[in-house]
Amino acid sequence: MNADRTPPHSILEIRDLTVRLPPGGDRTNAVENVSMHVNAGEIVCVVGESGSGKSVTAQTVIGLLPREQLTPTSGSVIFEGEDVLTLSRERMRGLRGKRISMIFQEPMTALNPVVRVGRQIAEVFRSHGLEPGRGGMPSISDLLESVRLPEPERLQNSYPHQLSGGQRQRIMIAMALALSPSLLLADEPTTALDVTTQARILKLIREMQDRYHNGVLFITHDFGVVAEIADRVVVMRDGQVVEQGPTDRILRNPQQDYTRMLISAVPSMVPAKRKRAPDAPVALRTENLAKTYGGGSWFRKGWEVKAAEAVNLELRRGQTLGIVGESGSGKSTVARCVVRLIDPTGGKVYLGDTEIGNVRLRELKPMRKRIQIIFQDPYRSLNPRRSIGKSLIEGPTNFGVPEREAWARAVQLLEIVGIDPDAHARFPHQFSGGQRQRICIARALAMEPDVLVADEAVSALDVSVQAQVLDLLTDIRDRFDLSVLFITHDLRVAAQVCDSVAVMHQGRVVEYEPVEQLFAAPTHPYTRELLAAAPGRHWNFQAFCEATETVAALDG
Amino acid sequence: MTTDVSFEAGARDERALSVWAATLRFLLRNRSVQIGGGLLVLMIAIALLAPLLWTVSPTRLDTAMRLRPPGPDAWMGTDPFGRDVYSRVIYGSRISLLVGLTVAMTAALVGTVLGILAGYIRWLDGILMRVMDGLMAIPAILLAIAMIAVLGAGIGSVIIAITVPEVPRVVRLVRSIVLSVREEPYVEAAVALGTPGHLVMVRHILPNTIAPLLVQGTYICAFAILIESILSFLGAGVPPTIPTWGNIMAEGRIYFQISPWNIFFPATFLALTILSVNVLGDGLRDTLDPRLQRSV
Amino acid sequence: MALYILRRLLAVIPVMLVVAVFVFLLIRLGPGDPAAQLAGDAATAEDIQRIRERLGLHLPIHVQFITWFGNILQGDLGMSIANNRPVSSLILARLEPTLMLTLTTIIFVVLVAVPLGAIAAWNHGRWIDRAVMAFSVLGFSIPVFVLAYILIYVFAMWLGVAPVQGFVSPTDSLYRFFAHIALPVLSLSTIYIALVARITRATVVETLGEDYIRTAYSKGVRDRDILLKHALRNSWVPVVTVIGISIAALIGGVVVTESVYNIPGLGRLTVDAVLASDYPVIQGLILVFSFTYVLINLVVDITYAALDPRIRY
């Protein structure tokens, strides 16, 4: 991409870096014998699952390792000819923000909430004895304009909470690039953003890098993002480098099994082909479902948020209906309404033939066992004080199943979801995230429900674990003839598991089609935008080659 | 049926028991818990064994022995009425600990019940919390003084008078825990599983209050011991006929310049007891509250 | 903003109403006949009846409350039983020493405790942090009057550098004012220094772990600016809250301190009133103290809104 600029000189060179973890962890080193380099004008993606040591590597480079907890024990980090591991505290401070800068994952918390953003940007200059807009330095407005923020004059006087996530990330980028550093570290900078915002921020990082010709070390877990932005890729696992090379080579021809597995675990944008009975009985149906929050009080003007409005959905037995949308689209509101964790403010919910959206809690109870829900966060979905066995029998015993019978069923279910039944007396903290999500599935299945609602149930999991849990969900759906309402923000996942998909935007269903049709010929502009924003849509990860089908057409 | 023998109740209880034992062992590893707990156990032992420890009756008057300095006859000297300060201080530990522990337990119990009600019943929440706000607006000592003035001096009324101002703090704590835990996915999962409301509360929500209540309870205990001594010292607490640390000091007040031991010894015991409870509280908080653990 | 202040002001009403009802009921519904208690042991039935009528105790309870509350709203807190003067004038006469004592204490506490807590937090886990924490636990556990006597013993009796007791108004002699107020302030402030330093430390430690502090480091901000401009600037909400809330406890401490140092303030008035069973004075004092507490916390709330951009009106 930058072949015309000669010669490529190395800005950052990490050699045999080892960083030790505090004693008592599950391994001795956070990072072990890691070597990589970043050239000027190059974006290097470090890819890995959680615990791979990718963030620790970046923190070492900029000297932000938590003090007294993580210590580099060997190797060197050569930045512009100097080993940063040997620099004094003050000298290192002088480099930060000026020659090396960093942007982070959470734009919501990365800015000081009580200081105007303009002053926060100015602080970069002042910390290095400079003044924005003087001595050849860009002004705050110039910087805000360069990251394409509207009305720079007004915006610099805003506080962070008045800005959207995407805007805050732009502020972070403006701050990071204020003094034109030669190296930018980006630690999952788009992971917390919605997919359409992510696409714009990725584009911006590309643009800025073309302009400043700096090196970028970009940390991500998402091969979609890699395909979108990287010149070279470094794959990490358990603190070690598994493989590195040019993006095209890694994506087409990965040498290591782990890399192959990671790449092929990225779900395809091409919907899976599956036979389905078009006239299966309807298991769950909503009729003009609505949920409005708010209302006035004496001294406050009435405020109202229409979280969901006029939602009409139909889920047939044995099928999966996806609800896809960005944050705030109302997709989770719908999920919680149909399970009656919250009460809808309008419309009806039919479970089979029975209306459950408006009935009293007493009448609702017998219906509870017919519809179950799985949540996003596996770490908070199980009561930490109860053994998983007890969690599994809680539902059935609520409905009068004798305890002994419930235990027997729990054992079977644990086996079905792939957990050793002997582990029934263990507590949630003794399981990994993926295992806990399996246990939650077993807990829901113990009720023998007709409908299973999965609310972002795989979103918090690493991509390889995510693939396994998705397989399990598909497997149990077919095995128990379940109907699944699948809530997700991830189009790729939806393409793989859903029979039909409803796209939600600002509380409304904007498009609702069988999955093949939705992906092949989206009609609503928002759906088109969503599909176009999916990172790496031009790539077929399972086949290790460019995508040829359907979605690529959108680019035209 | 034979395969699931390991699911028998006995096996599960054993597990549960070992969880408690492990928690206790974990707690006892903390230095503050060791020091504070050890000191407190010593104080409790003194209070329980008081009749064996005192040398003469704590209320025996001996006009020939007025205001003696500490010596072999009276280890901590004597007071203006010739009573033995050592015996009185030993006796005083009974009152202090009785008041401290009773207040802590009553406040925790009443506060928990009201806190659950506030956190669970919408219409009651507003009223109850306004009343609690009002109670909290009255300085604790003043409220206690006024209540004792009305109820009459006595250990019972002192305990009530110290408990009432402490209740709102517990109510707020419990209510906030109930409100936040109610949003946890595992509680919502239990609701979706058809678990009845009271069982959701007992099984899934209330266990989260135990650790914070224990910590808060120790602080209340320390505070109650402090307030009791202040009330007695001001002459507005336990009747002067009963030797409490506050009363002993109140009687020694006017003679402070010539015989400071009348104040010094009960003061030392008082400060040490409060210190031990506070240190224990800090230790419990550090080990039981993972959120605060990082910062303290 | 004006609407916010109005809302907060209106929120004071129910709180004060609860206080008033409580204070009223406490005296009226307590066991025993207040009139008989006031009259003393030697009183005849007519004496008691006369007192009852003078206090309006023969009327229905809600009428009593409305009359009483109406009087309060007009600034009439009733008459003292012990010395037959209006409660409000008794309170006004004793206001100055207490005001001086509490104001000096609060200023002293903030000046000492906030830097102490911030320094401890910055050196989290090192010896200086442990020393501050040890002091804090100790200061937290020493009863005010015990400390007061230790200070009197050391500074007044042993070293002889401070007067033992009494109060001098700063308008009479600023030097003698400080000489007299020094030991009371020291006694009263220790527990609050312990409390405020502790909260400051815990808050700053937590703030230092925030993402935006990491951002500040990554920008190359100097250590001093990170502590002052970022960490402390974001920590003062809990700190000011605890200062506001502990005013209630401070008022309690005032009662004891004034008693030990023989300062003729509201604290001594309280003790005297209790010993003389002067209920109207006790009621008046509780109302005044509670109202002060509520007002101070109102001011604290409004300050947040003015200074923290995230608080919406």
Side-chain angles (χ1 to χ4, degrees):
Chain A
M1 197 163 274
N2 294 305
D4 50 321
R5 290 172 180 143
T6 50
H9 75 281
S10 162
I11 296 171
L12 176 72
E13 178 125 23
I14 301 175
R15 288 189 205 130
D16 297 322
L17 177 70
T18 298
V19 177
R20 191 188 297 145
L21 281 168
D26 53 349
R27 59 179 207 242
T28 27
N29 294 317
V31 160
E32 210 167 283
N33 289 322
V34 162
S35 299
M36 62 180 80
H37 70 277
V38 180
N39 292 335
E42 181 184 51
I43 297 182
V44 178
C45 271
V46 182
V47 201
E49 298 188 290
S50 45
S52 61
K54 53 193 195 298
S55 287
V56 170
T57 308
Q59 284 166 1
T60 314
V61 172
I62 198 169
L64 284 181
L65 287 175
R67 55 180 181 185
E68 288 148 28
Q69 284 178 38
L70 294 172
T71 33
T73 45
S74 65
S76 53
V77 177
I78 312 293
F79 171 73
E80 295 187 329
E82 283 181 300
D83 186 352
V84 298
L85 297 182
T86 63
L87 292 181
S88 72
R89 218 176 131 73
E90 180 57 23
R91 181 87 179 80
M92 194 64 221
R93 183 191 72 75
L95 285 183
R96 280 199 293 264
K98 197 174 182 190
R99 306 299 306 150
I100 312 177
S101 58
M102 188 157 180
I103 53 180
F104 302 95
Q105 175 170 350
E106 276 299 334
M108 292 301 169
T109 54
L111 292 168
N112 189 335
V114 299
V115 178
R116 295 178 198 275
V117 294
R119 281 199 51 186
Q120 296 195 50
I121 298 175
E123 196 180 21
V124 186
F125 293 89
R126 289 177 190 143
S127 296
H128 298 280
L130 301 163
E131 220 18 71
R134 275 189 225 155
M137 286 291 137
S139 72
I140 307 286
S141 307
D142 294 345
L143 282 168
L144 292 178
E145 225 173 284
S146 74
V147 293
R148 312 206 183 293
L149 279 167
E151 302 181 70
E153 291 305 331
R154 190 185 58 85
L155 208 90
Q156 57 178 295
N157 286 320
S158 317
Y159 289 99
H161 73 274
Q162 296 165 322
L163 308 178
S164 70
Q167 287 177 321
R168 292 189 214 189
Q169 205 59 302
R170 282 170 198 267
I171 299 278
M172 284 296 292
I173 292 170
M175 215 149 71
L177 298 178
L179 302 179
S180 350
S182 57
L183 179 64
L184 174 69
L185 305 169
D187 190 354
E188 305 254 15
T190 59
T191 306
L193 302 173
D194 277 327
V195 60
T196 48
T197 317
Q198 162 169 297
R200 288 182 213 122
I201 295 289
L202 287 178
K203 188 162 164 255
L204 177 69
I205 291 176
R206 245 306 170 210
E207 273 175 31
M208 299 305 270
Q209 193 249 5
D210 276 348
R211 178 188 302 184
Y212 291 98
H213 200 61
N214 52 1
V216 178
L217 190 69
F218 192 108
I219 290 162
T220 182
H221 66 282
D222 185 347
F223 260 103
V225 171
V226 172
E228 202 70 29
I229 200 171
D231 296 316
R232 275 192 307 115
V233 184
V234 180
V235 181
M236 285 185 73
R237 181 194 197 183
D238 294 340
Q240 289 171 326
V241 173
V242 174
E243 179 169 5
Q244 50 183 312
T247 308
D248 206 54
R249 206 274 288 154
I250 297 277
L251 288 180
R252 272 179 210 282
N253 189 18
Q255 301 297 303
Q256 300 294 320
D257 289 346
Y258 181 70
T259 315
R260 272 194 106 71
M261 186 276 287
L262 267 191
I263 295 175
S264 56
V266 178
S268 166
M269 287 284 279
V270 181
K273 296 207 164 47
R274 191 165 92 89
K275 272 198 198 135
R276 51 189 78 97
D279 47 1
V282 174
L284 180 76
R285 187 161 64 84
T286 67
E287 206 179 279
N288 284 322
L289 181 69
K291 175 72 186 177
T292 307
Y293 286 104
S297 77
W298 284 3
F299 301 108
R300 215 187 273 269
K301 283 204 195 88
W303 58 277
E304 242 185 24
V305 180
K306 287 183 174 152
E309 218 186 336
V311 176
N312 291 297
L313 299 169
E314 199 175 77
L315 171 59
R316 290 179 185 275
R317 184 188 298 161
Q319 299 195 353
T320 302
L321 166 62
I323 304 183
V324 175
E326 298 185 307
S327 52
S329 62
K331 57 189 194 302
S332 281
T333 305
V334 172
R336 293 158 64 82
C337 279
V338 301
V339 191
R340 278 293 297 271
L341 288 172
I342 49 177
D343 297 336
T345 47
K348 296 193 165 76
V349 179
Y350 290 96
L351 189 57
D353 298 326
T354 323
E355 205 285 323
I356 58 164
N358 299 296
V359 298
R360 290 159 175 237
L361 286 179
R362 201 180 305 274
E363 298 152 42
L364 181 69
K365 194 188 167 189
M367 304 306 292
R368 288 270 192 215
K369 60 182 301 186
R370 292 178 53 194
I371 183 162
Q372 285 297 305
I373 183 165
I374 303 160
F375 298 98
Q376 172 171 8
D377 187 345
Y379 290 90
R380 288 164 59 197
S381 297
L382 291 163
N383 186 340
R385 289 185 180 77
R386 288 173 83 77
S387 68
I388 60 157
K390 279 193 174 178
S391 287
L392 282 176
I393 65 158
E394 179 166 9
T397 49
N398 283 337
F399 288 90
V401 176
E403 202 165 310
R404 215 183 164 75
E405 216 172 283
W407 278 109
R409 175 113 181 102
V411 173
Q412 284 177 357
L413 284 170
L414 282 175
E415 260 169 40
I416 289 173
V417 300
I419 302 280
D420 178 7
D422 289 338
H424 69 89
R426 295 215 193 129
F427 288 85
H429 69 265
Q430 292 165 296
F431 297 91
S432 69
Q435 285 175 320
R436 288 186 214 199
Q437 216 55 324
R438 288 166 186 272
I439 295 164
C440 289
I441 292 172
R443 178 177 61 187
L445 289 179
M447 302 290 280
E448 302 176 5
D450 303 337
V451 177
L452 193 60
V453 178
D455 187 0
E456 296 273 17
V458 296
S459 306
L461 305 174
D462 275 331
V463 59
S464 56
V465 182
Q466 174 177 321
Q468 295 162 11
V469 174
L470 283 175
D471 284 347
L472 174 66
L473 273 174
T474 317
D475 177 51
I476 57 154
R477 176 192 64 195
D478 298 343
R479 186 164 173 174
F480 298 104
D481 205 20
L482 280 175
S483 313
V484 179
L485 184 63
F486 193 90
I487 317 293
T488 185
H489 69 281
D490 190 337
L491 284 165
R492 294 176 175 277
V493 171
Q496 291 316 300
V497 300
C498 298
D499 297 304
S500 47
V501 172
V503 177
M504 283 192 74
H505 184 50
Q506 294 174 347
R508 286 174 175 274
V509 174
V510 295
E511 189 159 6
Y512 179 23
E513 300 287 348
V515 64
E516 298 86 355
Q517 197 173 337
L518 187 102
F519 278 78
T523 52
H524 195 277
Y526 178 72
T527 315
R528 299 176 72 91
E529 191 189 345
L530 213 54
L531 286 167
R537 68 195 174 285
H538 60 283
W539 197 264
N540 183 342
F541 292 94
Q542 281 77 30
F544 303 100
C545 65
E546 273 109 354
T548 46
E549 265 188 84
T550 52
V551 188
L554 274 175
D555 286 338
Chain B
M1 269 303 157
T2 45
T3 49
D4 55 34
V5 186
S6 60
F7 295 114
E8 290 302 324
R12 297 202 307 271
D13 284 353
E14 207 169 283
R15 284 274 185 175
L17 200 69
S18 70
V19 169
W20 283 106
T23 312
L24 192 66
R25 265 201 301 277
F26 180 63
L27 283 182
L28 285 176
R29 261 203 311 243
N30 179 286
R31 181 95 64 79
S32 301
V33 174
Q34 290 168 1
I35 296 173
L39 211 55
L40 186 63
V41 166
L42 183 72
M43 285 295 173
I44 292 174
I46 290 176
L48 289 175
L49 301 174
L52 301 175
L53 292 173
W54 63 54
T55 48
V56 293
S57 162
T59 49
R60 201 190 66 159
L61 301 164
D62 186 349
T63 41
M65 292 268 290
R66 296 180 66 234
L67 292 174
R68 290 280 177 85
D73 301 337
W75 297 343
M76 297 181 186
T78 60
D79 75 0
F81 302 97
R83 292 173 298 198
D84 181 47
V85 174
Y86 164 73
S87 303
R88 292 172 68 75
V89 166
I90 293 296
Y91 185 91
S93 63
R94 303 190 123 191
I95 308 294
S96 284
L97 288 170
L98 177 75
V99 170
L101 296 175
T102 319
V103 169
M105 282 188 287
T106 323
L109 197 73
V110 176
T112 305
V113 172
L114 293 180
I116 291 170
L117 291 179
Y120 222 67
I121 307 175
R122 267 242 177 104
W123 63 267
L124 196 63
D125 187 32
I127 303 168
L128 206 56
M129 290 324 283
R130 288 298 80 70
V131 173
M132 293 302 139
D133 285 349
L135 272 185
M136 280 181 85
I138 308 175
I141 290 185
L142 279 186
L143 184 53
I145 287 178
M147 288 182 70
I148 290 167
V150 172
L151 295 173
I155 293 184
S157 50
V158 166
I159 288 174
I160 296 173
I162 302 176
T163 305
V164 171
E166 289 307 308
V167 168
R169 271 165 262 274
V170 182
V171 175
R172 284 195 163 188
L173 177 75
V174 171
R175 173 178 175 272
S176 73
I177 293 171
V178 170
L179 289 181
S180 69
V181 175
R182 211 168 53 175
E183 307 288 316
E184 286 291 309
Y186 68 81
V187 174
E188 298 200 315
V191 172
L193 289 173
T195 307
H198 65 278
L199 280 183
V200 172
M201 181 58 85
V202 172
R203 267 185 206 160
H204 300 289
I205 298 181
L206 277 188
N208 292 289
T209 63
I210 294 174
L213 272 179
L214 202 60
V215 175
Q216 183 79 7
T218 56
Y219 293 139
I220 291 178
C221 176
F223 194 66
I225 293 174
L226 178 66
I227 299 278
E228 182 276 320
S229 71
I230 289 177
L231 291 176
S232 298
F233 178 77
L234 293 175
V238 180
T241 47
I242 302 172
T244 70
W245 292 336
N247 280 340
I248 303 170
M249 287 185 267
E251 279 149 15
R253 246 177 107 176
I254 14 173
Y255 303 97
F256 175 64
Q257 311 220 6
I258 49 171
S259 61
W261 53 86
N262 265 310
I263 292 215
F264 179 73
F265 287 108
T268 310
F269 269 69
L270 175 62
L272 270 182
T273 309
I274 297 174
L275 184 68
S276 69
V277 181
N278 275 336
V279 170
L280 176 66
D282 283 2
L284 290 179
R285 186 198 48 196
D286 291 358
T287 37
L288 293 177
D289 190 336
R291 200 185 71 84
L292 284 167
Q293 200 171 4
R294 278 184 293 115
S295 57
V296 183
Chain C
M1 185 73 195
L3 196 69
Y4 175 80
I5 294 176
L6 183 71
R7 267 217 323 273
R8 295 292 303 123
L9 267 171
L10 288 173
V12 167
I13 295 173
V15 174
M16 280 319 293
L17 206 62
V18 169
V19 173
V21 169
F22 196 83
V23 167
F24 176 78
L25 289 183
L26 191 67
I27 310 288
R28 297 297 145 97
L29 293 187
D33 182 348
Q37 278 179 25
L38 290 177
D41 295 338
T44 63
E46 286 110 72
D47 288 342
I48 294 174
Q49 187 57 34
R50 210 177 55 242
I51 293 176
R52 180 169 293 148
E53 271 168 34
R54 198 182 81 203
L55 298 177
L57 290 175
H58 59 292
L59 298 167
I61 191 98
H62 62 274
V63 178
Q64 288 185 40
F65 178 74
I66 291 168
T67 327
W68 178 75
F69 196 64
N71 289 341
I72 287 174
L73 290 182
Q74 293 162 29
D76 176 7
L77 295 172
M79 296 290 282
S80 159
I81 292 164
N83 53 14
N84 221 7
R85 282 176 58 193
V87 172
S88 47
S89 71
L90 274 177
I91 289 178
L92 274 179
R94 302 285 196 101
L95 198 58
E96 191 204 335
T98 304
L99 214 56
M100 286 300 149
L101 177 62
T102 40
L103 281 182
T104 325
T105 303
I106 292 172
I107 293 168
F108 184 66
V109 166
V110 173
L111 286 182
V112 174
V114 174
L116 213 58
I119 290 168
W122 186 256
N123 293 289
H124 187 205
R126 311 219 175 103
W127 69 267
I128 188 163
D129 178 31
R130 290 204 204 103
V132 170
M133 285 309 278
F135 161 78
S136 153
V137 180
L138 223 64
F140 213 66
S141 304
I142 290 194
V144 187
F145 56 103
V146 171
L147 185 66
Y149 279 111
I150 294 175
L151 291 176
I152 291 177
Y153 191 79
V154 173
F155 290 99
M157 290 163 57
W158 189 33
L159 297 175
V161 292
V164 178
Q165 285 181 328
F167 175 80
V168 173
S169 167
T171 49
D172 294 344
S173 158
L174 206 57
Y175 169 74
R176 293 187 56 221
F177 163 73
F178 277 115
H180 278 84
I181 207 96
L183 291 189
V185 166
L186 221 50
S187 319
L188 189 55
S189 55
T190 304
I191 190 166
Y192 301 101
I193 293 176
L195 185 73
V196 174
R198 209 181 161 95
I199 300 290
T200 308
R201 172 186 174 278
T203 314
V204 174
V205 166
E206 205 180 315
T207 311
L208 284 173
E210 295 286 350
D211 285 354
Y212 53 81
I213 298 290
R214 189 182 56 184
T215 306
Y217 273 115
S218 78
K219 289 196 292 191
V221 178
R222 288 180 187 84
D223 285 356
R224 196 196 48 171
D225 289 347
I226 284 182
L227 180 62
L228 295 180
K229 288 191 187 157
H230 292 273
L232 267 182
R233 180 97 170 67
N234 276 286
S235 299
W236 65 269
V237 168
V239 172
V240 173
T241 308
V242 84
I243 292 174
I245 288 172
S246 58
I247 297 285
L250 188 73
I251 291 166
V254 165
V255 176
V256 181
T257 311
E258 290 187 356
S259 193
V260 173
Y261 288 100
N262 209 6
I263 296 172
L266 294 179
R268 269 222 62 89
L269 185 63
T270 312
V271 177
D272 293 344
V274 168
L275 296 180
S277 295
D278 197 344
Y279 293 110
V281 176
I282 298 178
Q283 284 182 327
L285 282 166
I286 292 184
L287 285 173
V288 168
F289 279 133
S290 306
F291 191 56
T292 316
Y293 170 82
V294 171
L295 275 189
I296 288 172
N297 281 286
L298 178 72
V299 172
V300 166
D301 273 8
I302 292 173
T303 337
Y304 293 163
L307 289 172
D308 191 328
R310 282 167 300 176
I311 294 176
R312 278 191 262 165
Y313 317 128

